[in-house]
Amino acid sequence: MSQSLDEIKSALQRAIERAEQTKERGKVAAYIPELAKADPQKAGIAVTLANGETISAGDCNQQTTIQSVSKVFTLALALGTVGDRLWSRVGREPSGSAFDSILQLEHENGVPRNPFVNAGAIVVTDSILTSYQPKEALAQIVSFVRALAEDETIHIDKAVAMSETQTGHRNRALAHYLASHGNLRDEVDLTLGVYFHQCALSMSCVQLSRAGRFLAFGGGLGPQNGQMVSAKRAKRIAAIMLTCGHYDGSGDFAYRVGVPAKSGVSGMILAVVPHIASIAVWSPGLNKHGNSLIGTQMLEQVVNELDWSIF
Ligand code: DON
């Protein structure tokens, strides 16, 4: 990395200033009623470097639920629990369709395209449930994320989990469809209960950039703090983030930003700059693919200014 901390800090501040001036903010997700309360004017960014130092700007300490960004953490946990057997139940190809689409699932006999579309993530969570009871599985997910972030205060936002439990008809449809193909081992309600709660993990950009750094630094948290997953696994998860992390917007994201990243409908995005940094951004307004509009703009600006694209 050729930049000083001051140069990185000013790049983050410039991205926040531009975000504040941008009029078009996108649409806040409303299909989960609790998320509809978010303020689209908010924008935060945090970067964690190889030495563990975190630099941030804007609304970087405000917590929000991470939603689909949680799929990265459950994928890492599932691969640790069931290993490569997971790939007989879910693919590794980009979907080119919306995150909650059911169409492809029918064509492909109940095997979701990848672990980041909702159907795939539900299968991933279900695979963790083959080794644990639902409460235990949730506790495993929370403690894994706390260990990654080295932050014991990280918790689940119960109001958001409840809100999605009451309204998550599409995910219920997807889960029943998976079950009809024998690709759900646990009961639909139990698997979805864990899935809705993992999506409601609440974090700030600072906390998320810290939780994601194992993906940027070969599966580890730094020389003193040890290995969380193998380097090979971290590299492979990042590869899936690049190809599938933004659903049918993945190609455009790779073109504009050029780093592996995973988005969530709360407007959070976790991005990985291999060997250099993990970056978390947040702004609740979404583009037509359900990815943060201003968050993508901030990442595009920072990654291009600092010349951090992997290409
Ligand atoms: O399952 C859902 O619909 C949400 N809990 C998460 C979806 C999501 O974050 C899609 N990403 N942009």
Side-chain angles (χ1 to χ4, degrees):
M1 186 181 74
S2 53
Q3 297 88 4
S4 68
L5 295 186
D6 282 346
E7 282 168 326
I8 298 171
K9 177 84 188 168
S10 352
L12 302 193
Q13 273 161 347
R14 277 193 295 278
I16 290 292
E17 276 158 29
R18 178 158 163 236
E20 282 165 354
Q21 286 156 14
T22 307
K23 297 231 159 38
E24 174 55 51
R25 313 289 304 180
K27 276 210 184 81
V28 172
Y31 75 98
I32 302 172
E34 267 312 292
L35 295 188
K37 297 178 181 167
D39 175 1
Q41 289 309 316
K42 299 275 182 190
I45 184 165
V47 167
T48 298
L49 301 170
N51 63 4
E53 187 144 6
T54 300
I55 310 163
S56 55
D59 300 306
C60 55
N61 287 308
Q62 186 168 332
Q63 290 182 340
T64 188
T65 57
I66 64 171
Q67 296 300 328
S68 287
V69 181
S70 68
K71 297 168 180 173
V72 168
F73 303 120
T74 47
L75 176 60
L77 253 188
L79 288 170
T81 312
V82 299
D84 282 342
R85 277 179 295 150
L86 181 68
W87 302 121
S88 62
R89 298 180 59 191
V90 59
R92 297 193 291 261
E93 293 297 338
S95 67
S97 56
F99 66 89
D100 55 358
S101 169
I102 197 163
L103 215 63
Q104 206 160 45
L105 203 54
E106 181 164 9
H107 283 304
E108 296 178 4
N109 302 317
V111 177
R113 264 295 168 93
N114 67 62
F116 292 156
V117 290
N118 283 7
I122 292 167
V123 167
V124 169
T125 298
D126 184 68
S127 78
I128 299 174
L129 275 166
T130 50
S131 309
Y132 298 103
Q133 292 301 308
K135 282 229 160 69
E136 262 181 311
L138 202 54
Q140 288 289 332
I141 296 167
V142 174
S143 59
F144 182 53
V145 172
R146 285 179 176 169
L148 291 171
E150 296 176 299
D151 185 338
E152 290 300 311
T153 68
I154 290 171
H155 62 278
I156 288 168
D157 183 330
K158 296 245 167 62
V160 175
M162 187 56 66
S163 181
E164 188 166 16
T165 304
Q166 286 162 352
T167 55
H169 301 300
R170 265 194 194 227
N171 282 326
R172 239 168 238 121
L174 289 168
H176 281 287
Y177 197 79
L178 290 165
S180 78
H181 277 279
N183 200 6
L184 212 66
R185 306 282 149 83
D186 225 306
E187 284 167 43
V188 165
D189 285 341
L190 295 183
T191 301
L192 283 180
V194 177
Y195 172 77
F196 291 147
H197 280 79
Q198 79 183 50
C199 289
L201 269 163
S202 179
M203 281 193 234
S204 65
C205 289
V206 168
Q207 288 170 316
L208 183 60
S209 78
R210 300 192 65 75
R213 87 199 117 123
F214 75 109
L215 293 165
F217 305 114
L221 301 184
Q224 275 103 45
N225 304 348
Q227 203 65 21
M228 300 304 289
V229 306
S230 70
K232 188 166 154 188
R233 182 158 297 152
K235 198 190 285 195
R236 288 178 156 173
I237 294 171
I240 303 173
M241 290 168 79
L242 183 75
T243 51
C244 312
H246 280 68
Y247 317 107
D248 45 345
S250 298
D252 187 57
F253 187 89
Y255 180 86
R256 287 173 57 195
V257 185
V259 297
K262 181 75 210 78
S263 65
V265 281
S266 53
M268 274 203 150
I269 303 174
L270 170 64
V272 171
V273 186
H275 314 298
I276 293 181
S278 55
I279 312 175
V281 293
W282 173 55
S283 188
L286 308 177
N287 64 21
K288 65 176 193 275
H289 303 297
N291 306 314
S292 175
L293 188 82
I294 299 289
T296 306
Q297 174 186 297
M298 290 192 288
L299 280 172
E300 183 177 19
Q301 180 170 334
V302 167
V303 169
N304 283 307
E305 265 187 39
L306 299 174
D307 198 18
W308 281 358
S309 160
I310 63 169
F311 299 107

